[in-house]
Every structure is written in structure tokens, then in C-alpha cells.
Amino acid sequence: MFPYKLLCTLLCDTGNARDALYVEELGRARGLSDLMAEKYSVETHISANPQSWVGIENILRKRNNCTCLYISYFQNRLHLWILKTSGVLHYRRVSPEENLVQAGLPKDLSLSQFLDDNFRSLGILPTKDCEDRSLNTIKLQPLSPAQKSSARLRLVEEDEDEDEDEDEDEKVISSLSLCYKMFIAPVNDFLEEPEVVIVPDRRLYKVPFAALSEKEGAEYLSETHRICVIPSLTPLKIIQDSPEDYHSNTGALVIGNPKVDGLQPLPCARKEAEMVGRLMCVPPLVEEKATKQAVFEQVSSVSLIHFATHGNAERGEIALSPIPTPNSGNAIPPQEAYMLTMADVSRVKVRAKLVVLSCCHSGSGEIRAEGVIGIARAFLGSGARSVLVAL
């Protein structure tokens, strides 16, 4: 990944932002694009030959009222590209260091370290009694003194009243506001359309872009725009170029509260599945009926797939009901009997327009150059048009 980042930065520094975007896309559009190309039976690769670099700025032409924000960072340089449906390409360069120092953080703090330290616990919403759909008990390691300093953001503002002393008033601002200043504010004048498609970079997948706001009390980004996050432009192009009849237009598969010995029941997940089932006019698969076999029988033919189940913290993989056997009794079954894994999903062809993963950690996975390697990516790679996940 380093050569792509270095070349991208060099091209930006020499005023060639368009070719820099191609290089950045080359570094990301790999594994997922290959998976999707196999399912969609299309050619996808961006050639490494610069003479063939034509058309990346036109990928959004098939979408209406949409702007794409493409983000890349290398060391302490932040690159922001804006792609319009008209084919117009804008570029802005931002210094995260200036924003971090202004917030009272150490000068040597990197953007990566800031993201690691500040998105362990967001605290955006008030505490609610929520159903725990996690398969794991997450124990966060305590922050070191340096990390505590990073996580405690402070912005020094001068008093604007000339009659008062020029005392500096230290005010606490949130990580979300600081992210807004770095990632959204520099290009906010270009975000005129109601939908924003965001292409994050590595640790930026931790940032809840929909929840960013300019300051406390201001509107969230999701209140002014529809937000869509994609791993790179190439998968978007594959989906847009697919035949109109590729994705199913009818049918729904709804799964709720699978029964697994040893796992806590999820009564609210069952209610959720029953509600969605009524809306879609289909009987949901709940408790003992929510088996892997039952899911596989329908997963390739429906337009909507909705899971309300337990999820694994590492990759968001989903717990379903094991098929009972005469000798199973109350014994805890082996994981392969009930876990819907990334490998399982990759072996089927999904034609759904929307997959809803209403599980804990459904957006989790290993963060790499081209996105989060988890269950959501597996559904995209198998042909799903879009996936709704939880952070």
C-alpha cells in the first residue's frame, strides 16, 4: 500500500489530482472487486497503464442528486476529492496537524493515533436499555496517559468581546466536531446535492460520518444529507453497470431471534422480525426455524434480507439456529452448525437490493486498504446491492 500512497501524494503535490485519484483507487479496488466481478460476470480492473485512465470522474453520472467525497490520508496529509454527477472533479488538501494542534493535542499526534484513541466510545446518544445482540463480551483496555490526553479534546477560543479581558476560554469539543472540521468543512461548499457517497480510507471507517456535526447542537450530517459509504469507486461502477434485472425486485427473507443453546434469547429481535415480516407480507424465520439451511434456500432469490440476531465482534458473523439432531439434547452445538460465516456467504449468489444486518458488530472486521473485511463485505462481494450495518 505504501507505494500507492507515496505516488498519490507526489501527484497531488505536483498538481495532478486526477491521476492521483486513479492511483489511490488502484490501491483499493482489489479483492472485493474481484469477488464482485465473478458474481456479476464483468471485467472490472483499472489498468496500471496511465494511458488508459479515462472515465473515473464519470462513475457518478448514472446517479441523480449525488456528490462523492473520496478521502485519503498519508502520514499527516489529508486528500479530499469531490466528484460530481456532471463529471466535474474538485480537490482539496487539508493538514490534520493544524486542526489537532488547534484542539490542544500534541504536535506529534498522528491522524491514525487520534482515530484510534477517540472512537472507542462515542457517547453520541443518551444511555438506553438496549437488547444486547453481541456474542462477545468486549473489555476495552484502559487508556494510557498519552491516549487520555489525545481523547480529551480542547479548543482554545478567544473572547470576542473587546470590553472584556483577552482571556482564553478553554472549551471542550467533541471528536465528532473535530472530524467535521477535517473531513467535511473543507468541502462543504461542494456538498449541494441531497446524497453524499463517502469513500473512507482505512481507519476512517471508524468515523460515524452520519453523526458528524459542525458544533454541539448543530444538525448532524445525516439530517441534511443521505449518507452512503462505499469501499472504493470500482464496486460502485460494477453495481451501476449490472443489468437492470440482475437484482431481485420481489420477495423478502426475514430472520429473527434464532435459538441456540447457550446464547441469550432476543425477544426484541423476534418482535422486530415479526414487524418487518408484516410489512413485507412474508412469514419470518424465527427461533428454531431460523437455520442456515432455511436461509440458504431463499437467500439467492429475494430482494430484501433482514437479520435480527446475535453477531460476532470480530467480523460481524451471524448466529443462526442449528438443525436439531437426536443426540444434541441441550449441549452447546459446534459453531459450524449455527454460525453464518463470511465463507458461507461467499459461496452463494445474492440478488438482494438491500441486506439489513440488525446485529451487534455487523460493521466490524479487519480494517484494510479497501475497507472493512467482515460479514458486510461478504454480502457485497456475493452480489448484494447495498448493506445496512451497525458500527
Side-chain angles (χ1 to χ4, degrees):
M1 192 61 194
F2 174 79
Y4 292 102
K5 291 294 184 183
L6 182 59
L7 180 55
C8 174
T9 299
L10 290 174
L11 288 169
C12 287
D13 288 347
T14 55
N16 198 341
R18 177 183 170 277
D19 283 357
L21 179 58
Y22 270 97
V23 171
E24 184 67 27
E25 182 70 8
L26 274 171
R28 303 191 195 186
R30 293 184 171 185
L32 177 59
S33 299
D34 291 340
L35 290 173
M36 295 179 67
E38 181 181 350
K39 299 295 182 181
Y40 286 85
S41 301
V42 296
E43 294 291 335
T44 67
H45 296 287
I46 296 177
S47 170
N49 180 6
Q51 300 298 323
S52 67
W53 291 352
V54 178
I56 195 170
E57 61 271 30
N58 296 321
I59 288 179
L60 291 185
R61 285 189 180 274
K62 293 186 178 181
R63 300 179 74 95
N64 296 321
N65 298 320
C66 174
T67 299
C68 176
L69 170 58
Y70 198 112
I71 309 175
S72 170
Y73 68 91
F74 178 62
Q75 296 176 345
N76 258 7
R77 297 186 181 189
L78 182 62
H79 307 289
L80 307 175
W81 291 269
I82 289 289
L83 287 80
K84 294 287 190 176
T85 54
S86 62
V88 174
L89 176 67
H90 302 280
Y91 168 76
R92 293 278 170 88
R93 175 178 165 180
V94 178
S95 173
E97 182 179 358
E98 294 178 4
N99 290 277
L100 297 174
V101 171
Q102 186 184 22
L105 299 176
K107 291 184 178 180
D108 59 349
L109 181 71
S110 68
L111 179 60
S112 297
Q113 188 64 48
F114 163 75
L115 294 171
D116 285 342
D117 293 348
N118 284 280
F119 287 98
R120 295 176 174 222
S121 178
L122 292 172
I124 301 171
L125 301 175
T127 302
K128 299 287 185 181
D129 291 329
C130 298
E131 188 172 65
D132 185 2
R133 299 183 184 179
S134 173
L135 285 173
N136 311 70
T137 300
I138 306 300
K139 294 183 179 180
L140 296 178
Q141 297 297 321
L143 294 175
S144 67
Q147 290 172 326
K148 289 180 180 179
S149 174
S150 167
R152 193 178 297 115
L153 302 179
R154 297 187 179 277
L155 178 65
V156 177
E157 297 182 350
E158 294 184 358
D159 193 337
E160 297 180 354
D161 191 342
E162 296 180 358
D163 296 331
E164 295 184 9
D165 296 334
E166 295 182 358
D167 295 334
E168 292 182 332
D169 182 20
E170 193 174 64
K171 296 183 178 179
V172 176
I173 64 171
S174 70
S175 302
L176 300 178
S177 296
L178 184 52
C179 285
Y180 184 95
K181 291 178 183 292
M182 290 189 287
F183 309 131
I184 304 300
V187 295
N188 191 48
D189 52 329
F190 295 126
L191 305 182
E192 303 164 323
E193 287 74 20
E195 181 180 17
V196 179
V197 175
I198 300 176
V199 187
D201 184 14
R202 293 169 292 166
R203 287 179 175 85
L204 295 184
Y205 281 91
K206 295 183 178 182
V207 178
F209 287 95
L212 299 188
S213 62
E214 183 176 7
K215 58 184 178 181
E216 185 177 357
E219 289 182 310
Y220 294 121
L221 191 61
S222 59
E223 294 181 293
T224 57
H225 299 82
R226 296 192 305 273
I227 306 299
C228 174
V229 177
I230 59 174
S232 64
L233 291 173
T234 304
L236 178 62
K237 185 178 187 302
I238 294 173
I239 292 173
Q240 291 183 161
D241 292 346
S242 64
E244 291 186 5
D245 60 351
Y246 180 87
H247 292 98
S248 300
N249 292 315
T250 59
L253 170 61
V254 184
I255 304 98
N257 189 28
K259 184 177 180 180
V260 183
D261 289 332
L263 296 184
Q264 189 74 18
L266 302 173
C268 292
R270 173 168 183 151
K271 292 180 181 179
E272 177 183 327
E274 291 172 341
M275 178 188 69
V276 175
R278 287 194 297 271
L279 291 172
M280 301 303 299
C281 300
V282 297
L285 299 177
V286 296
E287 299 185 357
E288 294 91 345
K289 295 181 180 179
T291 64
K292 289 175 66 172
Q293 180 179 350
V295 169
F296 287 145
E297 288 175 356
Q298 301 183 51
V299 73
S300 298
S301 60
V302 295
S303 180
L304 169 69
I305 303 172
H306 187 108
F307 289 94
T309 69
H310 283 291
N312 178 277
E314 293 182 359
R315 296 187 293 186
E317 294 176 326
I318 298 167
L320 297 174
S321 297
I323 297 176
T325 61
N327 299 324
S328 59
N330 293 325
I332 298 177
Q335 287 197 2
E336 58 268 21
Y338 66 91
M339 289 299 298
L340 182 66
T341 66
M342 292 175 57
D344 292 330
V345 175
S346 67
R347 286 192 286 266
V348 299
K349 180 173 285 189
V350 178
R351 298 296 183 100
K353 291 184 176 180
L354 175 63
V355 177
V356 179
L357 303 179
S358 182
C359 326
C360 282
H361 318 296
S362 57
S364 296
E366 181 183 356
I367 297 178
R368 295 184 182 176
E370 63 174 280
V372 180
I373 311 301
I375 194 71
R377 178 184 183 272
F379 275 105
L380 283 175
S382 291
R385 186 176 183 87
S386 56
V387 183
L388 180 62
V389 303
L391 288 176

